[in-house]
Amino acid sequence: GSRRIQLLDEKGKPRNTHALVLEGDDWVRINTNPDGSVEVVWDEPGKNATVLFGWKGGSTCFEINDWTIPPCKLVLKRGSR
């Protein structure tokens, strides 16, 4: 399956969204779109996966967490749609 995700600021305006797969990178992929959104694409899961989203971006969990709001977390489980 897949899902397009874009975080909004406190005024409802889209922000450049960044994502990092914390677990499950063998069956979950992140594609960054030119409009600032990300697309999460997954195969049939064999186990759980966790994806972290944030405004700041970066390639590490610290860089995504280093912002004024907490990051958003998406947890995918076997059989989820």
Side-chain angles (χ1 to χ4, degrees), residues 37-79:
S37 67
V38 294
E39 183 175 12
V40 181
V41 180
W42 61 89
D43 300 325
E44 180 62 31
K47 56 185 176 182
N48 294 347
T50 303
V51 183
L52 189 67
F53 297 91
W55 288 359
K56 184 177 186 302
S59 59
T60 69
C61 188
F62 174 77
E63 290 172 329
I64 287 180
N65 277 312
D66 187 27
W67 195 249
T68 57
I69 62 168
C72 301
K73 188 187 300 185
L74 172 68
V75 177
L76 297 168
K77 297 181 180 184
R78 183 166 183 76

Side-chain angles (χ1 to χ4, degrees), residues 14-25:
R15 296 292 305 248
N16 284 340
T17 303
H18 303 275
L20 177 67
V21 179
L22 297 179
E23 65 176 312
D25 61 353

